[in-house]
Amino acid sequence: MGRASTLLIIFLVLGSSFATYNLVTMLRHYGSSEGVTVADGGLFFDPITEMPDHVKNRKTSKAPFHVALTATDAPYNKWQCRVMYYWYKQQKKLPGSEMGGFTRILHSGKSDNLMDEIPTVVVDPLAEGMDRVSLLSFSIIFSFKFSCLP
């Protein structure tokens, strides 16, 4: 039978020491695993920013969703917005619904006939050529930059 080389043994010892060190450090830093379980309705531990206690327990609090819909003043898009807002209201009426607010972000730069029907924020349209970018939807970013920030 062959013997294990000295270099292999050194790598195994260093690797297991590194793994053990990281495990012990994480357990000491984050404490026990009581806050990590979801069986009792609690959420996972958030290592970056600590969540408030009333948000961790999902049985006693709701975390409502806010729907932000980007839109134009085209007739087909207006119809889509009406349909989406109708189903949003239907879902919000259900018991235990987590639907929060609804905001239609209109990129035409001027108000339209749906302003009284759907909560709407009017923003200026994109600069010429900005709508040709294919990887990111700059219209969404642009609208939040100018309409939703204080």
Side-chain angles (χ1 to χ4, degrees):
M1 295 200 178
R3 288 180 45 200
S5 69
T6 308
L7 189 60
L8 176 65
I9 292 175
I10 290 173
F11 280 132
L12 286 174
V13 168
L14 289 175
S16 62
S17 298
F18 180 72
T20 304
Y21 171 77
N22 284 327
L23 179 66
V24 170
T25 302
M26 284 191 320
L27 288 175
R28 287 186 65 210
H29 186 289
Y30 297 120
S32 66
S33 61
E34 293 171 3
V36 178
T37 60
V38 282
D40 62 349
L43 294 176
F44 286 101
F45 178 75
D46 186 3
I48 298 173
T49 58
E50 183 71 25
M51 288 190 289
D53 290 333
H54 72 280
V55 176
K56 282 184 186 178
N57 189 359
R58 298 272 297 167
K59 290 182 179 178
T60 60
S61 70
K62 293 195 295 185
F65 294 94
H66 188 97
V67 179
L69 168 67
T70 58
T72 63
D73 56 354
Y76 182 74
N77 196 262
K78 287 181 181 181
W79 174 82
Q80 285 180 321
C81 292
R82 276 194 170 126
V83 170
M84 290 178 75
Y85 190 58
Y86 169 81
W87 285 110
Y88 159 79
K89 290 191 297 186
Q90 296 300 315
Q91 183 67 30
K92 189 171 182 172
K93 282 191 245 181
L94 295 175
S97 174
E98 293 187 358
M99 301 303 281
F102 189 98
T103 304
R104 176 176 165 247
I105 304 169
L106 183 60
H107 291 277
S108 65
K110 57 185 182 293
S111 60
D112 64 358
N113 61 340
L114 293 182
M115 298 279 294
D116 297 329
E117 184 178 337
I118 302 172
T120 304
V121 173
V122 179
V123 295
D124 292 329
L126 290 172
E128 187 64 34
M130 290 289 288
D131 57 348
R132 292 186 190 93
V133 178
S134 61
L135 295 177
L136 293 173
S137 179
F138 279 107
S139 60
I140 296 171
I141 297 167
F142 195 72
S143 66
F144 279 108
K145 178 180 174 184
F146 290 107
S147 67
C148 296
L149 295 178

